[in-house]
Amino acid sequence: MDFLDKLNPAQKKAVTAADGPVLVLAGPGSGKTRVLTQRIAYLIGYEGVRPYQMMAVTFTNKAAREMEHRVQQLLGEEMTRGLLLGTFHAICARILRREADRLPVSNEFVIFDADDQEKVVKAAIKELNLNEKLYRPVVAHAAISRAKNELIQPDDFPVVTYRDEAVKRIYQKYQAMLQASNGVDFDDLLLMTATLLDQHPDVREKYAQRFRHVLVDEFQDTNQAQYSLLKHLSSAHRNIFVVGDPDQSVYRWRGADYRNVQRFEQDFPGAQVVLLEQNYRSKQSILDTAMSVIDKAHGRRKKKLFTERGQGEKAVFYEAADDYGEASFVVDTIAQLVASRQFEPGDCAVMYRTNSMSRMLEEAFLAARLPYRLVGAQRFYGRREVKDVIAYLRLVQNPDDEISLDRVINVPPRGIGEKSLMALHQAGRAAQISPGQVAMSLAAGSNSPYWEQFSGRAALPLADFGGMLSKWRNHSTTSTVPELFDQILLDINYKDHLDDGTEDGKERWDNVLELRRLADEYTTRTLSDFLENVALVSDQDTISEGNVPTLMTFHAAKGLEFGAVFLVGLDDGILPHSRSFDEPEEMEEERRLFYVGITRAKERLYLVRAMRRGGRGFAEDTVESRFLRDISEELLTGKGRAGRGTRAGYRSNDSAWSLPSPRNSAPVLEQKYKAGMRVKHPIWDVGIVLDSRGLGENETVDVVFESVGIKRLVASLANLTIIK
């Protein structure tokens, strides 16, 4: 067992640390998994600890399997038999089944998944006679989940407002219904185990005595319940070995609390602290860029990341004229990197803050006929909310489209159940017309020849839907695609249906707004044109697996690494997200998220943004991310204003990953407006130019008007007159 000889000094110090609490602060790419697995091997192989006396926990089954495989490679399967290694939830479920006689459920309890949980919450709300529109199940469940992660039982749920009182009752009813079904949810696995160990000293002592050593991976992602569990399980021997990096804590919205690292040092005074600062992943230039960002974080223990892999090339900063140019730059650059044999396609990754940003990138790859893979989310056009809106538009275009009708006739819920829908189809078949036509006929009420075939309870919501469909069809003959789009969303109150106050709800609504931005390009084209384009772009056959570039969110990228990484959408309001502007803790997490993205890169890093971005039906000027301003100019190359990016920038190559042909040189353009110049606006009258940026049609100017103050204008649209 000579594996210790292959460790660097800091790693060896951590692996061979003496008994007692140990905190390993592991920078990105510093070999933390190696340290954790070799610590297990060291305790068994050198210190004589029995495998069954050890517990190692992590967050994913994949990580647990990898750890187990590495330990077995070091020691062999026989020497590791009995080692308890798994996720928090799996280990807690095992303990609960063994101690079920102390619980309100039997040892045969079932674990309710996310869909099951939402159904139980809905049933609880209904049984309490509460208005589901006021107390949305997903919001109520999110509040219950947060309470459980903070070790708050139903009867102890804090009440400040009337809404809190209602949520408390829902929580109590929800928990009673789970237990009546002999069921638990994921959060219960943690809460029940922590409560069991806290309230039953004999049980706590049994497990604390058994586990002489407790080892924890990704410690910065633990929540309050998990931290309590670890303290209980290590209370007898106090041999707790935790590995993590608070700089990579980016799951606050899941309950993760990076401050547990600080609590560890308070609760385990005298703990050995080891810094792993040598990076085995990235070039030094990438690490320097990452440190310039994270060093501005507040209240953190400084680390100096270094590598022996060489300095490497500076990070490339590219500021596109617009979001089309942003996507075009990414696709063209990847094509050039691959064609020049610097990287394989699979070595390249594109990362963004929100899933809605994938749409522009996906279209750019598709237009260039280059394959890609989307990770951590559905393809943009495959997302539920996007498919819903497209189904509504398809139904307006063709009311005989039964697939679209069945999809959205009760979305959002309008009291049309399966029986009503079946009756609608039966009426259509009998009359040899489509169910959509029957629904529109029902809008005439008792004058409809089909009215008597439905009960009043079924006919009214069907008639309401048919009336809306008829109105939209009439509207479509005189309205533009964006106008029709807006009218449908308004009539069905889709924003309130999606945006329920949760992160998931906000992201779903962002996806709808992204589709709305695309619709704005069809102001002078037909609904048929829009739907045809969407249908072609969303063809599932365009997705390729294997050696292809990866598109993913920053969150999904955690723990991964790629040769060339493109971080896009680096604008204030996107990263950091606008929701973090008034929340210091969230702003700090946004900074950590950017740090995580940077440190995924091994060889090349590209930081990309757009000066103008389409959104909500019109182009908006953007401001570069405040985090970019923390990066020294000396660390970047290419920090200049880019030329105009357009759809024409996309090329369709004859073969995937062939080098794009040189483009024709653009004409030399000059800025029309200069600082100090006096101009006149048709509404705001005379003003003075403060600044100008961009060229030609892309030129934007900041003007101070006496009447309204400072305005940023697109020069080609503002109708400004220069006053000589």
mmCIF file of all heavy atoms in Angstrom, residues 31-52:
data_model
loop_
_atom_site.group_PDB
_atom_site.id
_atom_site.type_symbol
_atom_site.label_atom_id
_atom_site.label_comp_id
_atom_site.label_asym_id
_atom_site.label_seq_id
_atom_site.Cartn_x
_atom_site.Cartn_y
_atom_site.Cartn_z
ATOM 1 N N GLY A 31 -8.078 17.482 -5.808
ATOM 2 C CA GLY A 31 -8.016 16.063 -5.476
ATOM 3 C C GLY A 31 -8.718 15.696 -4.187
ATOM 4 O O GLY A 31 -8.255 14.821 -3.448
ATOM 5 N N LYS A 32 -9.866 16.342 -3.901
ATOM 6 C CA LYS A 32 -10.552 16.080 -2.632
ATOM 7 C C LYS A 32 -11.107 14.656 -2.575
ATOM 8 O O LYS A 32 -11.096 14.035 -1.506
ATOM 9 C CB LYS A 32 -11.676 17.087 -2.405
ATOM 10 C CG LYS A 32 -12.857 16.981 -3.337
ATOM 11 C CD LYS A 32 -13.929 18.003 -2.983
ATOM 12 C CE LYS A 32 -15.116 17.863 -3.898
ATOM 13 N NZ LYS A 32 -15.792 16.564 -3.786
ATOM 14 N N THR A 33 -11.586 14.128 -3.704
ATOM 15 C CA THR A 33 -12.098 12.758 -3.690
ATOM 16 C C THR A 33 -10.972 11.770 -3.399
ATOM 17 O O THR A 33 -11.145 10.799 -2.654
ATOM 18 C CB THR A 33 -12.771 12.417 -5.029
ATOM 19 O OG1 THR A 33 -13.815 13.357 -5.283
ATOM 20 C CG2 THR A 33 -13.373 11.017 -4.990
ATOM 21 N N ARG A 34 -9.793 12.044 -3.948
ATOM 22 C CA ARG A 34 -8.631 11.200 -3.668
ATOM 23 C C ARG A 34 -8.300 11.233 -2.178
ATOM 24 O O ARG A 34 -8.054 10.203 -1.552
ATOM 25 C CB ARG A 34 -7.420 11.681 -4.469
ATOM 26 C CG ARG A 34 -6.112 11.045 -4.005
ATOM 27 C CD ARG A 34 -4.906 11.663 -4.654
ATOM 28 N NE ARG A 34 -4.734 11.162 -6.022
ATOM 29 C CZ ARG A 34 -3.647 11.405 -6.764
ATOM 30 N NH1 ARG A 34 -2.667 12.142 -6.284
ATOM 31 N NH2 ARG A 34 -3.552 10.920 -7.984
ATOM 32 N N VAL A 35 -8.336 12.430 -1.599
ATOM 33 C CA VAL A 35 -8.017 12.564 -0.176
ATOM 34 C C VAL A 35 -9.025 11.808 0.679
ATOM 35 O O VAL A 35 -8.651 11.090 1.618
ATOM 36 C CB VAL A 35 -7.979 14.056 0.223
ATOM 37 C CG1 VAL A 35 -8.009 14.219 1.741
ATOM 38 C CG2 VAL A 35 -6.737 14.720 -0.355
ATOM 39 N N LEU A 36 -10.296 11.942 0.364
ATOM 40 C CA LEU A 36 -11.326 11.291 1.165
ATOM 41 C C LEU A 36 -11.220 9.767 1.075
ATOM 42 O O LEU A 36 -11.264 9.062 2.089
ATOM 43 C CB LEU A 36 -12.710 11.754 0.702
ATOM 44 C CG LEU A 36 -13.872 11.430 1.631
ATOM 45 C CD1 LEU A 36 -13.700 12.113 2.973
ATOM 46 C CD2 LEU A 36 -15.192 11.884 1.008
ATOM 47 N N THR A 37 -11.063 9.245 -0.133
ATOM 48 C CA THR A 37 -10.994 7.790 -0.292
ATOM 49 C C THR A 37 -9.696 7.234 0.298
ATOM 50 O O THR A 37 -9.692 6.153 0.899
ATOM 51 C CB THR A 37 -11.115 7.393 -1.769
ATOM 52 O OG1 THR A 37 -10.123 8.100 -2.536
ATOM 53 C CG2 THR A 37 -12.481 7.747 -2.321
ATOM 54 N N GLN A 38 -8.602 7.972 0.157
ATOM 55 C CA GLN A 38 -7.342 7.471 0.706
ATOM 56 C C GLN A 38 -7.305 7.615 2.227
ATOM 57 O O GLN A 38 -6.585 6.873 2.900
ATOM 58 C CB GLN A 38 -6.163 8.172 0.031
ATOM 59 C CG GLN A 38 -6.095 7.833 -1.456
ATOM 60 C CD GLN A 38 -4.739 8.099 -2.077
ATOM 61 O OE1 GLN A 38 -3.774 8.387 -1.382
ATOM 62 N NE2 GLN A 38 -4.660 7.982 -3.391
ATOM 63 N N ARG A 39 -8.083 8.555 2.765
ATOM 64 C CA ARG A 39 -8.222 8.620 4.227
ATOM 65 C C ARG A 39 -8.892 7.335 4.725
ATOM 66 O O ARG A 39 -8.476 6.754 5.734
ATOM 67 C CB ARG A 39 -9.062 9.840 4.600
ATOM 68 C CG ARG A 39 -9.451 9.936 6.079
ATOM 69 C CD ARG A 39 -8.254 10.171 6.983
ATOM 70 N NE ARG A 39 -8.665 10.436 8.359
ATOM 71 C CZ ARG A 39 -7.833 10.620 9.368
ATOM 72 N NH1 ARG A 39 -6.521 10.577 9.161
ATOM 73 N NH2 ARG A 39 -8.274 10.858 10.588
ATOM 74 N N ILE A 40 -9.930 6.888 4.025
ATOM 75 C CA ILE A 40 -10.600 5.641 4.401
ATOM 76 C C ILE A 40 -9.610 4.474 4.317
ATOM 77 O O ILE A 40 -9.498 3.652 5.244
ATOM 78 C CB ILE A 40 -11.818 5.381 3.492
ATOM 79 C CG1 ILE A 40 -12.867 6.486 3.674
ATOM 80 C CG2 ILE A 40 -12.423 4.010 3.771
ATOM 81 C CD1 ILE A 40 -14.023 6.411 2.682
ATOM 82 N N ALA A 41 -8.867 4.419 3.194
ATOM 83 C CA ALA A 41 -7.904 3.336 3.011
ATOM 84 C C ALA A 41 -6.803 3.396 4.066
ATOM 85 O O ALA A 41 -6.345 2.359 4.581
ATOM 86 C CB ALA A 41 -7.293 3.420 1.612
ATOM 87 N N TYR A 42 -6.376 4.586 4.415
ATOM 88 C CA TYR A 42 -5.330 4.749 5.429
ATOM 89 C C TYR A 42 -5.820 4.251 6.791
ATOM 90 O O TYR A 42 -5.084 3.537 7.497
ATOM 91 C CB TYR A 42 -4.930 6.222 5.514
ATOM 92 C CG TYR A 42 -3.977 6.531 6.642
ATOM 93 C CD1 TYR A 42 -2.610 6.262 6.523
ATOM 94 C CD2 TYR A 42 -4.440 7.092 7.836
ATOM 95 C CE1 TYR A 42 -1.727 6.539 7.569
ATOM 96 C CE2 TYR A 42 -3.566 7.373 8.884
ATOM 97 C CZ TYR A 42 -2.213 7.090 8.743
ATOM 98 O OH TYR A 42 -1.349 7.352 9.779
ATOM 99 N N LEU A 43 -7.039 4.613 7.173
ATOM 100 C CA LEU A 43 -7.565 4.197 8.473
ATOM 101 C C LEU A 43 -7.696 2.678 8.558
ATOM 102 O O LEU A 43 -7.426 2.068 9.593
ATOM 103 C CB LEU A 43 -8.921 4.863 8.729
ATOM 104 C CG LEU A 43 -8.884 6.378 8.971
ATOM 105 C CD1 LEU A 43 -10.297 6.941 9.024
ATOM 106 C CD2 LEU A 43 -8.129 6.706 10.252
ATOM 107 N N ILE A 44 -8.108 2.066 7.448
ATOM 108 C CA ILE A 44 -8.259 0.611 7.447
ATOM 109 C C ILE A 44 -6.904 -0.090 7.331
ATOM 110 O O ILE A 44 -6.578 -1.009 8.096
ATOM 111 C CB ILE A 44 -9.188 0.165 6.293
ATOM 112 C CG1 ILE A 44 -10.604 0.714 6.505
ATOM 113 C CG2 ILE A 44 -9.226 -1.358 6.189
ATOM 114 C CD1 ILE A 44 -11.547 0.455 5.334
ATOM 115 N N GLY A 45 -6.100 0.367 6.358
ATOM 116 C CA GLY A 45 -4.855 -0.330 6.057
ATOM 117 C C GLY A 45 -3.720 -0.040 7.009
ATOM 118 O O GLY A 45 -2.885 -0.924 7.282
ATOM 119 N N TYR A 46 -3.643 1.169 7.552
ATOM 120 C CA TYR A 46 -2.516 1.552 8.414
ATOM 121 C C TYR A 46 -2.901 1.622 9.889
ATOM 122 O O TYR A 46 -2.093 1.302 10.766
ATOM 123 C CB TYR A 46 -1.960 2.918 7.988
ATOM 124 C CG TYR A 46 -1.114 2.873 6.744
ATOM 125 C CD1 TYR A 46 -1.697 2.942 5.482
ATOM 126 C CD2 TYR A 46 0.273 2.775 6.814
ATOM 127 C CE1 TYR A 46 -0.924 2.922 4.325
ATOM 128 C CE2 TYR A 46 1.059 2.744 5.675
ATOM 129 C CZ TYR A 46 0.453 2.821 4.427
ATOM 130 O OH TYR A 46 1.225 2.781 3.301
ATOM 131 N N GLU A 47 -4.119 2.087 10.177
ATOM 132 C CA GLU A 47 -4.528 2.296 11.565
ATOM 133 C C GLU A 47 -5.343 1.128 12.123
ATOM 134 O O GLU A 47 -5.655 1.113 13.316
ATOM 135 C CB GLU A 47 -5.345 3.588 11.675
ATOM 136 C CG GLU A 47 -4.552 4.843 11.320
ATOM 137 C CD GLU A 47 -3.415 5.101 12.297
ATOM 138 O OE1 GLU A 47 -3.602 4.843 13.507
ATOM 139 O OE2 GLU A 47 -2.337 5.553 11.869
ATOM 140 N N GLY A 48 -5.704 0.169 11.279
ATOM 141 C CA GLY A 48 -6.402 -1.021 11.750
ATOM 142 C C GLY A 48 -7.861 -0.804 12.118
ATOM 143 O O GLY A 48 -8.449 -1.612 12.851
ATOM 144 N N VAL A 49 -8.466 0.250 11.620
ATOM 145 C CA VAL A 49 -9.890 0.481 11.895
ATOM 146 C C VAL A 49 -10.714 -0.510 11.076
ATOM 147 O O VAL A 49 -10.435 -0.756 9.901
ATOM 148 C CB VAL A 49 -10.286 1.931 11.527
ATOM 149 C CG1 VAL A 49 -11.777 2.154 11.776
ATOM 150 C CG2 VAL A 49 -9.452 2.930 12.308
ATOM 151 N N ARG A 50 -11.718 -1.116 11.701
ATOM 152 C CA ARG A 50 -12.585 -2.061 11.001
ATOM 153 C C ARG A 50 -13.527 -1.309 10.055
ATOM 154 O O ARG A 50 -14.024 -0.236 10.420
ATOM 155 C CB ARG A 50 -13.420 -2.852 11.998
ATOM 156 C CG ARG A 50 -12.603 -3.593 13.037
ATOM 157 C CD ARG A 50 -11.961 -4.820 12.446
ATOM 158 N NE ARG A 50 -11.289 -5.628 13.470
ATOM 159 C CZ ARG A 50 -10.720 -6.798 13.221
ATOM 160 N NH1 ARG A 50 -10.746 -7.290 12.003
ATOM 161 N NH2 ARG A 50 -10.120 -7.468 14.197
ATOM 162 N N PRO A 51 -13.787 -1.838 8.863
ATOM 163 C CA PRO A 51 -14.667 -1.136 7.926
ATOM 164 C C PRO A 51 -16.035 -0.806 8.512
ATOM 165 O O PRO A 51 -16.572 0.283 8.263
ATOM 166 C CB PRO A 51 -14.773 -2.120 6.749
ATOM 167 C CG PRO A 51 -13.517 -2.917 6.808
ATOM 168 C CD PRO A 51 -13.204 -3.052 8.271
ATOM 169 N N TYR A 52 -16.611 -1.733 9.308
ATOM 170 C CA TYR A 52 -17.949 -1.498 9.841
ATOM 171 C C TYR A 52 -17.971 -0.409 10.917
ATOM 172 O O TYR A 52 -19.032 0.008 11.366
ATOM 173 C CB TYR A 52 -18.547 -2.802 10.384
ATOM 174 C CG TYR A 52 -17.811 -3.410 11.555
ATOM 175 C CD1 TYR A 52 -18.006 -2.938 12.853
ATOM 176 C CD2 TYR A 52 -16.928 -4.454 11.362
ATOM 177 C CE1 TYR A 52 -17.318 -3.493 13.925
ATOM 178 C CE2 TYR A 52 -16.234 -5.015 12.426
ATOM 179 C CZ TYR A 52 -16.435 -4.532 13.709
ATOM 180 O OH TYR A 52 -15.754 -5.080 14.768
#
